[in-house]
Amino acid sequence: LRTGMPEVIFASGKTIEHVTAIFVRMAQAGGNVLATRVSPECAQAVLAAEPRAVHHVTARCITLEQAVPPQGKGTVAVVCAGTSDLAVAEEAAVTARLMGNTVELIADVGVAGIHRLLAQRGSLQSARVLIVCAGMEGALPTVVGGLVNAPVIAVPTSIGYGASFGGLAALLGMLNTCSPNVCVVNIDNGFGAACIATLINRM
Amino acid sequence: LRTGMPEVIFASGKTIEHVTAIFVRMAQAGGNVLATRVSPECAQAVLAAEPRAVHHVTARCITLEQAVPPQGKGTVAVVCAGTSDLAVAEEAAVTARLMGNTVELIADVGVAGIHRLLAQRGSLQSARVLIVCAGMEGALPTVVGGLVNAPVIAVPTSIGYGASFGGLAALLGMLNTCSPNVCVVNIDNGFGAACIATLINRM
Amino acid sequence: LRTGMPEVIFASGKTIEHVTAIFVRMAQAGGNVLATRVSPECAQAVLAAEPRAVHHVTARCITLEQAVPPQGKGTVAVVCAGTSDLAVAEEAAVTARLMGNTVELIADVGVAGIHRLLAQRGSLQSARVLIVCAGMEGALPTVVGGLVNAPVIAVPTSIGYGASFGGLAALLGMLNTCSPNVCVVNIDNGFGAACIATLINRM
Amino acid sequence: LRTGMPEVIFASGKTIEHVTAIFVRMAQAGGNVLATRVSPECAQAVLAAEPRAVHHVTARCITLEQAVPPQGKGTVAVVCAGTSDLAVAEEAAVTARLMGNTVELIADVGVAGIHRLLAQRGSLQSARVLIVCAGMEGALPTVVGGLVNAPVIAVPTSIGYGASFGGLAALLGMLNTCSPNVCVVNIDNGFGAACIATLINRM
Amino acid sequence: LRTGMPEVIFASGKTIEHVTAIFVRMAQAGGNVLATRVSPECAQAVLAAEPRAVHHVTARCITLEQAVPPQGKGTVAVVCAGTSDLAVAEEAAVTARLMGNTVELIADVGVAGIHRLLAQRGSLQSARVLIVCAGMEGALPTVVGGLVNAPVIAVPTSIGYGASFGGLAALLGMLNTCSPNVCVVNIDNGFGAACIATLINRM
Amino acid sequence: LRTGMPEVIFASGKTIEHVTAIFVRMAQAGGNVLATRVSPECAQAVLAAEPRAVHHVTARCITLEQAVPPQGKGTVAVVCAGTSDLAVAEEAAVTARLMGNTVELIADVGVAGIHRLLAQRGSLQSARVLIVCAGMEGALPTVVGGLVNAPVIAVPTSIGYGASFGGLAALLGMLNTCSPNVCVVNIDNGFGAACIATLINRM
Amino acid sequence: LRTGMPEVIFASGKTIEHVTAIFVRMAQAGGNVLATRVSPECAQAVLAAEPRAVHHVTARCITLEQAVPPQGKGTVAVVCAGTSDLAVAEEAAVTARLMGNTVELIADVGVAGIHRLLAQRGSLQSARVLIVCAGMEGALPTVVGGLVNAPVIAVPTSIGYGASFGGLAALLGMLNTCSPNVCVVNIDNGFGAACIATLINRM
Amino acid sequence: LRTGMPEVIFASGKTIEHVTAIFVRMAQAGGNVLATRVSPECAQAVLAAEPRAVHHVTARCITLEQAVPPQGKGTVAVVCAGTSDLAVAEEAAVTARLMGNTVELIADVGVAGIHRLLAQRGSLQSARVLIVCAGMEGALPTVVGGLVNAPVIAVPTSIGYGASFGGLAALLGMLNTCSPNVCVVNIDNGFGAACIATLINRM
Ligand SMILES: Nc1ncnc2c1ncn2[C@@H]1O[C@H](COP(=O)(O)O)[C@@H](O)[C@H]1O
Ligand SMILES: Nc1ncnc2c1ncn2[C@@H]1O[C@H](COP(=O)(O)O)[C@@H](O)[C@H]1O
Ligand SMILES: Nc1ncnc2c1ncn2[C@@H]1O[C@H](COP(=O)(O)O)[C@@H](O)[C@H]1O
Ligand SMILES: Nc1ncnc2c1ncn2[C@@H]1O[C@H](COP(=O)(O)O)[C@@H](O)[C@H]1O
Ligand SMILES: [Mg+2]
Ligand SMILES: [Mg+2]
Ligand SMILES: [Mg+2]
Ligand SMILES: [Mg+2]
Ligand SMILES: [Mg+2]
Ligand SMILES: [Mg+2]
Ligand SMILES: [Mg+2]
Ligand SMILES: [Mg+2]
């Protein structure tokens, strides 16, 4: 899987010093570098040490682009239901772009207002792979899956309250999908969704 | 709640003799009678003892109509996603009819094929109350809720396999709905949904 | 659902700047505005930007009334078991009032002291719809449902400790209700309960 | 605990031969004998081998009384919400009687129809200890607890469907009780409830 | 239940001002007062407002004794497995003392070192009622229950890590007890255990 | 998704008559037909009514091939850990073949005997997409994912006992995968895995 | 692990023909053979095909001994709380014997009657490794662990009812053990416990 | 178990003063002392009071060595999948060393990159006992178990996000292991794993 993929740091649970040191070392190796789940403080430290890096605030990611990855053949659509799921959707979008994909982000479409979603049918159907992120709108991947002929990667998010149980409700809803072109990754795993989408988009 | 409501027997877990005896006794009282969760063998025994009763096979219900209940002001729409959820939807429909409602049953509409659902928009929007039953299509009540301006009563069903966990996935999805006109009753409780719909439709 | 309903902001998880900006923009549109789950700091910022807004402290809500919504036909009773469930009950009450309902709040009635509840029977029975919020008193909606002939919307709250599991115990108790006029919304969802009550009260 | 208590066989999971053999051996020892969770076939075999034994059909118990246990000082009330919980309530009642208690069984009182329960207030308040069994009426022990000044032993039952999850909903509701005179035993454990009630009633 | 019982405040989730105000008002009524789950800051405020009150640090309780409650007939033993469960055990002990019981606290006995427990057999067997609090030692009530002839009230605590799941492991272990003289209250509910123990000890 | 896909019947929960009738009707439409989760009795009835159909015993599937679907560009590898997971793996294989893919089935490789798996590295690495089915070997998709550069679709199976909890353990293990080329479908959903694999293999 | 270990068949979920065929083939290879989870009908078929095999009824196992395994250095004690857990304990004992260990089975000792357990202290302390199987006596391994200086392998069993949740209560209790010489295997996995005990007893 | 084992303090949940006082008292008794789950602040206080103590930062442990424990006969390998699980692995390693074992720590081997693990086969196979700690790599113990002939003690860690549910996913994966030489301890319980490994390594 390594060919043409960036080096990746999962920053959550690591000290700022540790993340900075790994980032700098990876940057010196000459390839692209991605850090995910980066706190604002950590981002500041990394950018101080490696000024060429870019901080994607909503995505909580830092990227360093210094190499050209293999290019995806089509567009990866990243879909989410509202501003609350945007962090996960942006993690997916930033990751997919760094991995050589053209990304179209379609935010603020949900199943409770199906017309806004249907209005995006053109964009959805022209994508080669789709990533759909949702916390309270656990059915969004199923509805999108019914509108397109391409593979859909569903990302449950931990956004919600009460009986959302940290993303469990969305996860179960997505696994029980009736659209047979939908598969699922871990709660909040925008990064992983982008990896699979990249592999598919290169085929 | 009793005024104008039938007498009700929840047959599950009761012996055939017990159900038959209660049914006959209630029939003699002169009001309408409803038995739910009736096995085919039990239905045979009840109909032998009370030949005026009607057995609704798919709904697993027996009804005896001998009184005129208060009439609902509009139509109660009962919606489900496929033949698998039909037993629960029919329990709701049979109950609502016996309680004085005009019922329109809209089966075989799901979120994975949104166009069949949108094709029913007319029927959905002309209902005064809606009951939506779904097992694997946990998002159906939310989508329906977004299309109408009336209260939607969601009934999760125990239909499904794997991570549906006996209706839990559908239940959680419905509780996390983004359509603010949706409320939820117990898994498989078509009867209860019809009771609330009746109260609302009489207002 | 939009007709005669306020614009709504769910503030939890949004930055103060974001909430304030949306609130001001919505206020300029001329309709009523509601923000829920507002922290004290956020409320201060919103009121500074829009001095006509009102902060409901216990309810954690901000409202701006500048339009007259369709009026509910009867009273919405909002019932809770003690001071601990008051925040959720007040969210329901503030929302229902802004949506054009006369609201009667009946706090501090519980099932462990049934007589205080029975003493309120008059108020309960004169309501056209009831909202019952409870965390440790998961049976309150069932008991209330047995006393009235109107629809009851049950709101489990996350109040409790130990085996309350963040509202799960109350939620399950309410779903298993034996009163067939009770339906349920998500844990802590006072807002959603008020929306359904409003729809019903306008019928 | 042994003094004045019968020998007990938990028949579930044991072969008919095994249960019969143990029962006969215990009978020969001269004390009282109790077998619980006995199938009809097993009961037939035991009664054939020990004709003095009595089969309590609803309770699924067999008893042999041949000794006089210490007598309880007051009445043990066994309360349940309907015919569905009767098996567990009868297990408690049969056990408590064999252990020397005067037992009053109060069936068919529930929280959804609070007046039938209040009509029994006299019986409830004259009991020295109370056992309350309920599956879908998880709040019954709390309401009873609020009406009396005596210890209440709550027994969740596995009766119910959907989100009752085999008695889990009732169990959680009972643990979250607001009546401080309520304690809980395992789901369906009518026997255990009777043991504690016996100890208390002898004090 | 009220006769001879103190007024009780469950301080968790209430503001310091609120707790102080209720405490002072209750104190003026002349009876005994108990506040549980009190933070150190809250305790300071209450004691400033009512200097006769006593702060029990480990128990996180405040008591005010100004009336003589009915006296228990024997000793209530409060047993726990180690310093970690002491807060819950002390809540039980403080409550039981205020309710008129002689209390013997037996800390630091566990099932992994059965001999220290057996060494306390004398104290255990001379108690009239026992309260056993344990988080990781979920079997302690069962072992104690096997050693004595009196009722045992088991209190699971939320102490533990990993698969203790906030007291769930202890709770399930206690419900599955093989000692028929054991009943259970909510996780961490030392107060409730003391209430039942008091009722029993007065019989 | 419909283009070039067979008509599909999920037989579980449908009567034999119902399945046979749908199968015959679909067969007459001229396309390929697939029935999954077919019992032996049901298969007999379908084959009597449509003798051209083929019964795949282990896969519990019936297929009718009368049209040529679009052909996949490479091989789909279907991998499982032992005979116990074979039913799910065969469902995936039969489905994928009917949808126009060349399928290589690699059974009896597990993580506890890593060398048998490594011996298949050639086959694994030459596949264009992989489907990995496992119940007790929840880590198999992760290990396979680390060996290949292609997308891996993981199918948890309900095979196992004790703490496998009907496939939940495998499902959670697969969602927590460290191989970023792995996505997951519902427990036992061999059919769905084959659908996504088909879409990808046609790209 | 293979050296000196029998070939093993896990019969659950396999057809009688399949189990018989594998057993015969393994028998011909000349080593010892073990089949676990064998139904009575399956046992009959295997013994008909391989008359030298032995059926252990309670253990639900079939063994064929035709080779001498490496001998364990000490005794393996297999402990359980009652007849209900005997099937799992016997599976462990039969497996351990076939793997070359001297086994001492200590049944019918539990934590609710600690003296019967203490009476076995001699046997327990002379074992080199211990296997403790329990369903409702989840604390038995902890108590045994406190009495001995040797490693204890805990096997939760699925025996129990109500809140035992198929062995989950016992499993959680064992994982939370306070005896640091206790480790745990899967629910009902007597076989696995014997494998580890064998490895340790050969050291 | 006490012979040759250090005195141990589980610092989590205890005050700094309490931990320091116990540590000093135990140090005076002359044996070795171990404190686990020590915060940096607590460590500073203990080292100020007992300057001979050593703080193991990653392991969150403090040790005092002043006695020679019985020596293990071989090497204990402590294996983990990445820096995230290192805290638990180091707790196991520090504990095992203080208990007289030679420890080899093998970090940064995982199942997604099986070759790094296979490259360590020599070290793994020369260990007498193995401890394998993993959070997201729940299959690591199974794979290691397949490579060695020695007992493997699996320690699930609480590291992960989303569907890892605080270590539950890893725990279930390890209990369902197909390697019969694997047993499991509580989530994050590196200490307990080291205790059992010590007992085995002394045999
Ligand atoms: N959301 C995520 N972002 C980045 N890496 C992730 C994520 N989820 C899982 N990972 C995995 O974590 C690895 C990096 O972890 P680490 O070596 O601890 O920094 C990556 O190679 C990924 O396979
Ligand atoms: N699906 C259902 N069908 C009929 N009754 C139900 C259902 N679910 C709950 N119930 C309640 O069960 C009561 C009848 O129970 P029973 O007296 O045991 O026959 C009715 O009054 C309903 O309130
Ligand atoms: N641990 C506890 N301490 C005090 N009260 C409790 C506890 N658990 C439940 N309660 C109940 O909470 C009531 C006081 O609640 P509040 O009126 O909110 O202060 C008491 O009457 C008790 O019935
Ligand atoms: N209780 C058990 N009895 C026998 N085998 C088991 C048991 N639990 C897990 N197994 C594993 O199952 C394998 C045999 O499975 P199989 O090849 O399907 O017959 C053995 O090698 C064991 O590792
Ligand atoms: Mg969302
Ligand atoms: Mg459905
Ligand atoms: Mg409450
Ligand atoms: Mg009931
Ligand atoms: Mg403890
Ligand atoms: Mg498997
Ligand atoms: Mg047991
Ligand atoms: Mg890990």
Side-chain angles (χ1 to χ4, degrees), chain C residues 176 178, chain D residues 80-86 109 133-138 140 157 159-160 170:
Chain C
N176 282 284
C178 296
Chain D
C80 74
T83 55
S84 41
D85 295 321
L86 214 51
V109 291
C133 308
M136 295 174 74
E137 303 257 351
L140 193 56
T157 77
I159 300 303

Side-chain angles (χ1 to χ4, degrees), chain E residues 112 115 121 139 146 163-164 176 178-179, chain G residues 112 115 118 121 137 139 146 163-164 176:
Chain E
H115 292 294
R121 210 176 330 181
S164 77
N176 282 284
C178 297
S179 291
Chain G
H115 293 292
L118 294 177
R121 209 174 332 178
E137 303 258 351
S164 78
N176 282 284

Side-chain angles (χ1 to χ4, degrees), chain D residues 55-135:
Chain D
H55 181 206
H56 308 262
V57 179
T58 306
R60 298 168 302 175
C61 291
I62 307 174
T63 54
L64 175 68
E65 268 197 85
Q66 53 183 346
V68 179
Q71 297 298 299
K73 297 190 180 156
T75 299
V76 173
V78 177
V79 182
C80 74
T83 55
S84 41
D85 295 321
L86 214 51
V88 176
E90 288 277 13
E91 181 182 295
V94 165
T95 301
R97 281 199 196 96
L98 191 68
M99 290 179 173
N101 299 284
T102 303
V103 172
E104 182 168 10
L105 182 66
I106 303 171
D108 227 3
V109 291
V111 294
I114 203 78
H115 294 292
R116 273 188 299 165
L117 181 64
L118 294 177
Q120 299 285 351
R121 209 176 331 180
S123 294
L124 297 172
Q125 289 176 345
S126 67
R128 205 149 179 267
V129 200
L130 299 99
I131 295 171
V132 185
C133 308

